[in-house]
Amino acid sequence: MSTPIQTLADGTGAYLVDGYLIVEDGPDAADIIGGRTGAPLNKERAKDETIAWQILSAHDTSGEEDPKDLKIRFDKLTSHDITYVGIIQTARASGLEKFPMPYVLTNCHNSLCAVGGTINEDDHVFGLSAAKKYGGVYVPPHQAVIHQFAREMLATGGGMILGSDSHTRYGALGTMAVGEGGPELVKQLLLQTWDVKRPEVVAVYLEGEPVKGVGPQDVAIAIIGAVFDSGYVKNKVMEFVGPGVENLSADFRIGIDVMTTETTCLSSIWQTDDVIREYYEIHGRTEDFKELRPGDVAYYDGLIKVDLSQIRPMIAMPFHPSNAYTIEEVNANLEDILAETEKRARVSFGDKVNYSLRDKVHDGRLLVDQGIIAGCAGGGFENICAAADILRGQNIGSDAFTLSVYPASTPIYMELLKNGAAQTILETGAILKTAFCGPCFGAGDTPSNNAFSIRHSTRNFPNREGSKIQNGQISSVALMDARSIAATAANHGILTPATEFDGELKKWQYHFDAAIYRNRVFDSHGQADPQTELVLGPNIKDWPQMVALTDNLLLRVVSEIHDPVTTTDELIPSGETSSYRSNPLGLAEFALSRKDPEYVGRAKAVYAEEEKRRNGTAFEEMDEALAAAVQVIRKTCPGITPENTGIGSTIFAVKPGDGSAREQAASCQKVLGGWANIANEYATKRYRSNLINWGMLPFLIPEGELPFTNLDFLFIPEIREAVAQKKDEISAFAVRDGALTPFTLRLGELTEEERRIILDGCLINYNNTLLKAAK
């Protein structure tokens, strides 16, 4: 079998001619393209012919004819119940009076009130009152997961949607969608812009047709495995083109598209055709369809070529979607691959748990404990119908293996009831549940200790599936397609690719029932009611006061992480902690708890000294170690005082911020007194943006250079001036062994607005400054 996925060398671009012909950039490109089109080649003009640029340029408000720095206004916003309370509270603190665009508040994360007393439902009541007061849309619990509702009701051809969930991806329907931290939605609510450098665009050229048994998750995992480690599409737009697109159903395209987030790309977009037109017709929104295609000659900054016919059922082994293998490969090399997985586990968990998968091998086959088909990736109509076809006449057995299926929306659930697929699934011993995102982030169907779960969901990061390493609890999640999960379930838990299924996979017709939403979803139709009072449960708290950046900073390193990548789930665990998303200080108690349990105590101790500083306490009267560090600093910088030198904590991580868009990964550090992160690089734009919006400095340091260690003090003189003066390199000192060790930090590129946010201390302070100036 040939390699199903190929990429060009880094830095090499390609032209797409007439939507089909690929011409690699090089000395012969002009002749080849000129001979075909009869026109001279213009690379700059060809860059403007991508679908991505057609949409971005239509939403750019910079006023520049050829902008390098885009200022984007989105058409619509979406949030779920882990994020919308904080977003609305932040915007409210900055003068919000009305949602200026459609804003949909869904309730698919904190839907189960298993932890926290009334907390989760209090958030929902708040959300409904906010939709009424400010003119939004409120989708009650169990009706739909956030992204399925957006596909069914919000996506438009050529439109742009910003969501406070990292899997905000509707490119298959012709909508460029971006997942960002909550503060970026706050900016849109306050009529500000999403500021970004004009992104590079990478063509994903599809050809061929998937074989029977291969589903969208298989294609997605194969792509992620091919590009993640190299960062080939990091912070770029993936544009899906080529003859293979027309061989995929709308649901199949959607299933690939939602997983593009796991490549660390910025967004995604697909060429659209009659298949997508039919999708809009089925959902009663024909007028929202728009045919999108690249121009006659379009230039792409990179190329991923995918032969769909060569993709085979895939599995992403723990603990990342990029740990990609074919299921056949795993079954043929079981011991070696399990050993490699255990090796990866030791990188994340060290010796805190005794992690092994060897006990899952029975008679030379891998026996899994649990199957889940769920959420925005797995809970689609076609995925569940295909699973039902494979399970028809089978059973999942009466031993330990379990199977749960979560349709992504109530309309999908209704259709499964009508066409008999629900009955087929239930007859096997599997369970059908309501629309809920929990299995994706450790709040639903958490496996037992040492269990191995296979899931058609979006992520399998460490700590995300419910593990609590500090309590000695560990479980594993591997990602697979619904079809192979069903084949494995029919085989009573023995890992089985769906290509071994020899029955029929039908083409089921979907009928969407919009009455379900009309009967239950609150839609203000953009009409705000200022007289409505927000309903604030006792756990819904305002943000604590934050101060402006001081002239100098004295930081203490309170956590040092050397894993190759640190996910947002390791920075702020998901699962039951979700109940405290509306309480900044309450949630902060969980920060890094499953990665570095000492972090919170250390950060609090540093923050206690900062509070003393704000109250006028002299350095000499503070903590003994801090006072000693100040004495050393004053030998070189005698002018530092509590009035001009802030005290805060910082963490070092090699590459933090992969995964979720949740701003709490940054805000929890901030409310505990964090003033900076130091990293070799940031895994995603959205995490770096979260740091900036909470007034934290996103410092960079070269790989291999670490002139400090955990619990060291760092002194950064004249940091406020450095930020204001747009200095690229910033002088810093590590206080070690009674002396100052100099080193250099960088901030990377910052927009003018981002600098002001950091100088003011956070986005809330920045907006309040704007409000005062306006008055």
Side-chain angles (χ1 to χ4, degrees), residues 363-380:
D363 298 324
R365 299 293 299 274
L366 184 63
L367 183 63
V368 303
D369 301 290
Q370 180 193 70
I372 306 285
I373 300 170
C376 59

Side-chain angles (χ1 to χ4, degrees), residues 80 82-83 87 162-168 178-185 261 459 464 568-569 572 657-666 684-687 689-690 694:
H80 52 63
I82 277 184
T83 57
I87 291 167
L162 181 66
S164 57
D165 184 274
S166 58
H167 290 102
T168 305
V178 178
E180 275 279 12
E184 292 299 328
L185 277 78
T261 295
R459 291 200 174 118
R464 190 177 175 93
T568 47
D569 286 280
I572 182 62
D658 188 22
S660 173
R662 288 170 296 154
E663 73 271 17
Q664 292 94 342
T684 57
K685 175 196 175 295
R686 54 184 173 268
Y687 177 67
S689 294
N690 285 336
W694 286 106

Side-chain angles (χ1 to χ4, degrees), residues 49-71:
E49 294 298 316
T50 64
I51 302 170
W53 182 244
Q54 294 169 33
I55 296 175
L56 284 168
S57 60
H59 290 78
D60 175 43
T61 65
S62 69
E64 300 291 330
E65 186 174 337
D66 185 21
K68 300 290 188 294
D69 300 304
L70 306 181
K71 291 184 173 295

Side-chain angles (χ1 to χ4, degrees), residues 396-535:
I396 68 169
S398 58
D399 210 329
F401 179 82
T402 63
L403 176 63
S404 296
V405 180
Y406 295 74
S409 70
T410 300
I412 291 175
Y413 203 139
M414 178 70 77
E415 189 62 20
L416 296 172
L417 292 171
K418 290 178 180 178
N419 70 14
Q423 178 180 339
T424 297
I425 289 169
L426 290 169
E427 285 174 343
T428 70
I431 298 296
L432 271 177
K433 301 185 179 182
T434 55
F436 179 46
C437 295
C440 187
F441 66 96
D445 288 296
T446 303
S448 64
N449 188 50
N450 282 321
F452 187 67
S453 177
I454 53 174
R455 301 187 176 189
H456 193 153
S457 60
T458 53
R459 291 200 174 118
N460 60 338
F461 295 162
N463 300 301
R464 190 177 175 93
E465 72 297 303
S467 296
K468 291 185 178 179
I469 305 308
Q470 70 274 22
N471 295 340
Q473 300 170 4
I474 179 68
S475 58
S476 303
V477 167
L479 301 182
M480 285 171 46
D481 188 84
R483 294 151 188 78
S484 291
I485 292 173
T488 300
N491 210 1
H492 295 189
I494 296 173
L495 185 67
T496 305
T499 44
E500 292 187 8
F501 171 69
D502 58 6
E504 181 186 3
L505 290 176
K506 300 180 182 177
K507 289 191 175 181
W508 295 87
Q509 180 63 41
Y510 182 59
H511 304 91
F512 176 73
D513 184 358
I516 294 170
Y517 291 147
R518 286 198 301 269
N519 292 339
R520 188 71 188 101
V521 172
F522 172 80
D523 188 349
S524 71
H525 300 287
Q527 298 300 309
D529 180 7
Q531 302 307 312
T532 298
E533 294 290 332
L534 289 178
V535 181

Side-chain angles (χ1 to χ4, degrees), residues 15 39-47 297 299:
Y15 295 90
L41 181 61
N42 185 322
K43 180 186 284 191
E44 294 307 311
R45 184 179 299 167
K47 287 182 178 181
V297 179
Y299 178 80

Side-chain angles (χ1 to χ4, degrees), residues 52 55-56 58-59 72-80 101-106 145-181 184-185 188 194 237 257 261 266-269 279-280 285 288 292 661 686:
I55 296 175
L56 284 168
H59 290 78
I72 301 295
R73 288 289 296 162
F74 288 85
D75 302 309
K76 299 171 185 176
L77 306 178
T78 63
S79 291
H80 52 63
M101 60 185 69
Y103 186 16
V104 176
L105 313 178
T106 65
V145 302
I146 179 173
H147 304 308
Q148 186 60 26
F149 185 84
R151 296 162 187 154
E152 294 168 349
M153 305 299 290
L154 301 180
T156 57
M160 290 192 74
I161 294 177
L162 181 66
S164 57
D165 184 274
S166 58
H167 290 102
T168 305
R169 293 283 190 269
Y170 317 125
L173 301 176
T175 301
M176 271 194 73
V178 178
E180 275 279 12
E184 292 299 328
L185 277 78
Q188 295 288 312
W194 181 63
V237 177
D257 186 62
T261 295
L266 187 71
S267 186
S268 61
I269 193 66
Y279 181 94
Y280 280 102
R285 299 195 295 121
D288 288 331
L292 299 174
R686 54 184 173 268

